[in-house]
Amino acid sequence: MRLTTRGRYAVTAMLDLALNNESGPISLADISHRQEISLSYLEQLFAKLRQNNLVSSVRGPGGGYCLARSSDAISVAEIIDAVNESIDATSCSGKGNCHNGDICLTHHLWDDLSRQIHRFLSGISLDSLVHQQDVQVVMLRQSDQADANSGCAKV
Amino acid sequence: MRLTTRGRYAVTAMLDLALNNESGPISLADISHRQEISLSYLEQLFAKLRQNNLVSSVRGPGGGYCLARSSDAISVAEIIDAVNESIDATSCSGKGNCHNGDICLTHHLWDDLSRQIHRFLSGISLDSLVHQQDVQVVMLRQSDQADANSGCAKV
DNA sequence: AAGTAACCTACTAAATTAGTATGTTATTTA
DNA sequence: TAAATAACATACTAATTTAGTAGGTTACTT
């Protein structure tokens, strides 16, 4: 099953977008600084997020990315699905041909697990994450650090 | 997060053990044939399963492996934990130092997810799998094939 | 004594992921 | 209109992990 740095990066970046939603488009350079993710890698991830209609983009100076929908209409599952192919624990990608064309001994187990994980992550919207206290605290800390690093006074 | 062929192989092999439990120790060669898993790879997996007290072994001719406990006292989560290091979706292995020594934006999310998966897989015992109808059906099919391949008459 | 099957270790191959490098194109601002 | 910005695109490399192989040794049964 694929649930790795890529999915984590994508969710983190999308959450960063959601947290800074009011201030217009957010550039990947900003996210890259705040979340310490390689800019070029972010670009690759956002290409997929855009293809999946999770973000919209504005080119040119002052441009960047916005959420394509309101943050309560975007689930963590969608984000991970967009950058990985899927969250699927079966070896046959759900096809059921894992053992000589038939299902293997444990097919249903992994199928159930996949469904379970998907249901869990589908139930978590970006909006619900934004309102979690620890997320707020971490975001505050990060913007402090970003200010310090940029040499700008804190507003 | 690690949830891959290794964990699937381990659970499949343990389930094979559970299904053939009455007939004394089961050799890895048998499991290798039935489940189409490389013998040498199985040996590596069973080294870990043994270290984690999930199976016991009998050496020499007629030897093999048995479940170390009754099948209703062994959960899928334990098996996966034994062969992978853990089912942990955080990038910091739960340590909480994922972003400059502090937790990252999404630490709690992955922590929750890990707990969710673990709870789900902890609730599934080998015994409960043995009694699932589809498992029985697949097992029957497999032993038919094994008999056919071995050139032995079906008893 | 011979055969079996666990046990052990080191190595190789394949696949995947993470990250880099180098552009081009659209848009804004001076 | 030129310069700067930031998205968009593609190809490549490095690192890591997983899967699988190979070669043995040891314990036990027949």
Side-chain angles (χ1 to χ4, degrees):
Chain A
M1 184 174 65
R2 263 158 255 155
L3 189 48
T4 164
T5 311
R6 189 149 82 218
R8 275 196 294 266
Y9 278 176
V11 174
T12 302
M14 288 291 282
L15 183 52
D16 187 298
L17 265 195
L19 285 159
N20 297 284
N21 210 14
E22 303 88 41
S23 23
I26 306 291
S27 74
L28 293 188
D30 284 356
I31 299 180
S32 173
H33 285 137
R34 274 195 293 264
Q35 307 303 336
E36 300 187 322
I37 305 172
S38 137
L39 175 59
S40 206
Y41 201 47
L42 273 179
E43 287 176 337
Q44 293 171 48
L45 297 179
F46 271 75
K48 297 198 175 190
L49 294 173
R50 209 173 69 95
Q51 283 161 28
N52 285 270
N53 293 313
L54 292 173
V55 294
S56 59
S57 62
V58 179
R59 297 178 78 151
Y65 286 92
C66 305
L67 297 181
R69 293 172 245 149
S70 72
S71 59
D72 60 355
I74 297 177
S75 74
V76 172
E78 285 178 284
I79 297 169
I80 293 177
D81 280 344
V83 294
N84 288 331
E85 285 110 55
S86 69
I87 16 184
D88 180 7
T90 66
S91 62
C92 55
S93 310
K95 293 193 206 90
N97 56 356
C98 13
H99 190 90
N100 294 332
D102 276 299
I103 63 168
C104 68
L105 261 187
T106 50
H107 179 82
H108 277 67
L109 172 63
W110 308 124
D111 211 42
D112 284 353
L113 174 61
S114 304
R115 251 191 278 275
Q116 194 81 5
I117 295 175
H118 210 275
R119 188 184 315 151
F120 176 72
L121 292 178
S122 293
I124 300 177
S125 69
L126 279 182
D127 191 58
S128 69
L129 290 177
V130 165
H131 289 99
Q132 279 179 16
Q133 198 177 16
D134 60 283
V135 170
Q136 306 253 1
V137 171
V138 173
M139 194 64 205
L140 264 177
R141 172 159 55 74
Q142 287 183 357
S143 38
D144 286 356
Q145 286 171 358
D147 291 343
N149 292 338
S150 71
C152 297
K154 194 178 165 190
V155 186
Chain B
M1 183 172 68
R2 266 159 253 155
L3 189 47
T4 163
T5 311
R6 188 150 82 219
R8 275 195 295 264
Y9 278 176
V11 174
T12 301
M14 288 291 282
L15 184 52
D16 188 299
L17 266 194
L19 285 159
N20 297 285
N21 210 16
E22 303 87 40
S23 25
I26 307 291
S27 73
L28 294 189
D30 285 356
I31 300 181
S32 172
H33 285 136
R34 274 194 293 264
Q35 307 306 333
E36 301 187 321
I37 305 171
S38 137
L39 174 59
S40 205
Y41 201 46
L42 273 178
E43 287 177 337
Q44 293 171 48
L45 296 179
F46 272 75
K48 297 197 176 192
L49 294 172
R50 209 172 69 93
Q51 284 161 27
N52 285 269
N53 294 312
L54 292 173
V55 295
S56 59
S57 61
V58 179
R59 299 178 76 154
Y65 286 93
C66 306
L67 297 181
R69 292 172 245 151
S70 72
S71 59
D72 61 356
I74 297 178
S75 74
V76 172
E78 285 178 285
I79 297 169
I80 294 178
D81 280 345
V83 294
N84 286 331
E85 284 110 54
S86 70
I87 14 183
D88 180 8
T90 66
S91 60
C92 55
S93 310
K95 295 193 205 90
N97 56 356
C98 14
H99 189 90
N100 295 330
D102 276 299
I103 64 170
C104 68
L105 261 187
T106 50
H107 178 81
H108 278 68
L109 172 62
W110 309 122
D111 211 42
D112 283 353
L113 174 62
S114 304
R115 250 190 280 274
Q116 193 82 5
I117 294 175
H118 210 275
R119 187 184 315 151
F120 175 73
L121 293 177
S122 293
I124 300 177
S125 69
L126 280 183
D127 191 58
S128 69
L129 290 178
V130 166
H131 288 99
Q132 280 180 15
Q133 198 176 14
D134 61 283
V135 170
Q136 306 253 2
V137 171
V138 174
M139 193 65 204
L140 265 177
R141 172 160 53 74
Q142 288 182 357
S143 38
D144 286 355
Q145 285 169 359
D147 290 343
N149 293 338
S150 72
C152 297
K154 194 178 167 191
V155 185

